[in-house]
Amino acid sequence: MAAAAEELSGRRGRGPEPGPGPGSPVGRAGFEGSPGGGRRVFSPAGEFREFSRRQLRDMERLFRQYDAGKDGFIDLMELKLMMEKLGAPQTHLGLKNMIKEVDEDLDSKLSFREFLLIFRKAAAGELQEDSGLHALARLSEIDVSTEGVKGAKNFFEAKVQAIHDASRFEEEIKAEQEEKKKQAEELKQRKAAFKELQSTFKQ
C-alpha cells in the first residue's frame, strides 16, 4: 500500500510523458490560447492532415523537449537554446523574425500549432533557404520532404477529386432532370395526339 502511494506521488511529480496518449496534443484535441485570452480547440491530426501521425508525434516530442518552462509554448530564450543545440545559432533579431513568421496570435512565442506551421511551410517549400526556420526544419531530423509533401499532394488531390466528383454528380442530376423533362414532354405530346385521335372518331 505504501509502495503504491509512493509510486503515485512520484508520478505526480513528473510532467506528462511525450507521445500520442490521451493527454497529448496529437492524441486528442488540445487548446490554443488566443490574443483575447479565449481558448479554441485545436486538433493537430485534424488540421495538419498532410503529416502522418508518426511525424506529428516526432514534432510534438521535439516541441516538448525545448519547452523548458512546460507551459505549452516556446519563447524567445527557449528558441535561442533550441537553435544553438541544433547547431544553427541565431542573432536576437533573427530569433524574433523566426517567431514573427509563424506567430499568428502575435504573443511573441510559439504555440504547438505555430510550431507545426514551420514544418508545413518547409514541406510546401515556402521557407527561404537562408532563414532560421528553414534551418530549424532541416536540422530537426523530422523528415517532411518526402512523406509530408506526398501527404500534402494526396490531400490536395483528394480535394480536387471531391470537387470533380461533386460536379460529376451535379451533371448526372442535370442529365436525369433533362431526361425526365423529355419524357414528360413526350407524354404530353402523346396525350395531345390521343385526344386529337379521339375527337376525329367522335365526328
Side-chain angles (χ1 to χ4, degrees), residues 25-176:
V26 175
R28 62 168 175 79
F31 287 97
E32 287 279 310
S34 68
R39 282 148 73 84
R40 61 185 178 82
V41 179
F42 162 57
S43 163
E47 190 175 337
F48 291 83
R49 292 180 185 179
E50 64 263 51
F51 298 125
S52 67
R53 291 188 76 80
R54 182 182 60 79
Q55 286 172 319
L56 289 171
R57 274 197 301 270
D58 289 346
M59 292 174 208
E60 184 195 345
R61 204 171 291 123
L62 184 69
F63 182 84
R64 286 182 177 220
Q65 186 183 335
Y66 291 100
D67 174 18
K70 303 296 172 204
D71 59 354
F73 295 95
I74 289 178
D75 62 23
L76 194 75
M77 290 310 291
E78 288 165 343
L79 184 61
K80 178 179 184 289
L81 179 69
M82 181 182 197
M83 295 310 290
E84 284 169 3
K85 286 268 178 81
L86 290 173
Q90 302 290 311
T91 63
H92 185 75
L93 184 64
L95 292 164
K96 283 181 107 169
N97 285 337
M98 283 174 71
I99 291 175
K100 198 174 171 184
E101 199 167 336
V102 288
D103 185 16
E104 291 191 333
D105 55 7
L106 308 175
D107 61 355
S108 302
K109 53 190 176 180
L110 299 176
S111 66
F112 182 53
R113 183 182 177 278
E114 290 163 345
F115 187 70
L116 292 179
L117 287 176
I118 298 169
F119 294 95
R120 170 176 278 175
K121 283 174 175 274
E126 291 174 7
L127 298 176
Q128 296 285 332
E129 287 210 16
D130 57 350
S131 74
L133 291 185
H134 187 270
L136 188 159
R138 185 170 45 84
L139 297 168
S140 64
E141 292 180 6
I142 295 167
D143 181 21
V144 295
S145 58
T146 52
E147 198 177 341
V149 171
K150 186 175 149 229
K153 185 168 170 273
N154 290 347
F155 176 64
F156 290 117
E157 274 177 2
K159 273 189 118 170
V160 169
Q161 186 62 41
I163 291 164
H164 174 71
D165 288 349
S167 63
R168 201 178 66 199
F169 184 64
E170 277 176 29
E171 279 169 23
E172 283 173 7
I173 288 174
K174 266 186 192 170
E176 258 178 53

